[in-house]
Amino acid sequence: MKEELYDRFIASLLEAYPINEEIIRFIRQYLLVKKFPKGTHLLSIGKTADKLFYIGKGLARSYYYLDGKEVTSGLAAEGDMVLSIPSFLNQIPSSETIELMEDSELVFLSYPDLQRLYYKYPVTNVIGRIICEKYLVIFDERIRSLRMLNAEERYYQFCEQYPTICAKMPLKHIASYLGLSRFTLSRVRGQKIKTGLLNKEC
């Protein structure tokens, strides 16, 4: 399983940009794989993010507090990378917590090792840029969704784009991520199931 996770992580990099075997060998020597139980905090508010995580198996969410209430800022499933972008890139204390929502298997790379990779093989900076652009687009789409779509449209679009998260993540966290109350999302979900637009599992 460990080798399989290594291979899947490398494959995700190759999807962004081709790299040769020498670079792949260099990356692999710094990768670590570990199982974490549900409820593990990969990062806590006030701590500096020093690792980039890739979810080989599992589910995660990030959240912060606003007026004493948790607000879900990010959701991630198998095949996604997980980090607090401002904290990791700028090496500053995080304003959010990253929590595993189920038992998970993660591949991770430390910030110093990533910088070592960038320095030794400048072409890998291209991969970093492309991956950052991918998540920038996701962030922009979410902002547009919050501004332009109603509750039904937000939820339907979310389930179309992220079916695994839609099926496995507790409804209250999806509601928070979409800027909706749990009551509103429950009503919308019920209507979608009744009309056959969603399965009960979603």
Side-chain angles (χ1 to χ4, degrees):
M1 186 62 181
K2 186 175 181 180
E3 289 301 317
E4 179 185 343
L5 293 184
Y6 281 147
D7 291 342
R8 283 164 55 188
F9 177 77
I10 295 298
S12 72
L13 302 184
L14 292 172
E15 286 178 4
Y17 196 82
I19 49 178
N20 61 39
E21 285 299 323
E22 178 185 343
I23 300 175
I24 291 174
R25 286 194 298 271
F26 184 86
I27 295 173
R28 283 176 66 96
Q29 70 178 315
Y30 291 108
L31 294 179
L32 294 173
V33 173
K34 187 174 180 180
K35 295 181 179 180
F36 294 90
K38 176 181 178 179
T40 297
H41 285 182
L42 301 178
L43 178 67
S44 298
I45 293 173
K47 301 294 185 180
T48 299
D50 61 354
K51 295 180 181 66
L52 167 69
F53 294 96
Y54 171 85
I55 303 180
K57 178 183 178 183
L59 199 65
R61 75 168 181 126
S62 56
Y63 64 90
Y64 60 91
Y65 288 95
L66 181 64
D67 298 328
K69 296 182 179 180
E70 287 183 4
V71 178
T72 298
S73 52
L75 302 172
E78 184 175 317
D80 291 329
M81 293 190 184
V82 181
L83 73 162
S84 172
I85 294 177
S87 179
F88 185 79
L89 295 183
N90 298 316
Q91 287 297 280
I92 58 175
S94 174
S95 60
E96 61 186 357
T97 291
I98 300 175
E99 177 186 16
L100 293 178
M101 304 305 296
E102 62 182 28
D103 293 346
S104 303
E105 295 182 32
L106 309 177
V107 180
F108 54 96
L109 180 69
S110 74
Y111 180 85
D113 289 339
L114 178 61
Q115 299 310 308
R116 189 176 292 111
L117 173 66
Y118 283 161
Y119 180 80
K120 184 173 179 64
Y121 299 104
V123 68
T124 59
N125 285 269
V126 177
I127 296 177
R129 190 203 77 215
I130 291 173
I131 291 174
C132 283
E133 288 173 350
K134 170 187 172 181
Y135 286 98
L136 178 61
V137 169
I138 291 173
F139 176 78
D140 183 71
E141 288 177 345
R142 183 187 176 207
I143 296 299
R144 289 175 182 271
S145 169
L146 293 174
R147 290 175 177 171
M148 302 173 66
L149 303 182
N150 62 34
E152 286 190 23
E153 291 168 335
R154 284 183 218 172
Y155 185 59
Y156 189 70
Q157 182 186 76
F158 178 81
C159 289
E160 286 284 298
Q161 293 178 330
Y162 310 107
T164 299
I165 296 176
C166 188
K168 298 172 69 177
M169 185 68 67
L171 204 61
K172 64 180 180 179
H173 299 319
I174 296 177
S176 179
Y177 181 77
L178 296 177
L180 304 171
S181 70
R182 187 173 180 178
F183 173 80
T184 297
L185 186 54
S186 293
R187 175 179 55 79
V188 168
R189 182 174 178 274
Q191 291 173 344
K192 292 293 185 183
I193 291 173
K194 183 181 292 187
T195 58
L197 292 176
L198 288 176
N199 298 320
K200 289 184 178 180
E201 289 76 15
C202 293

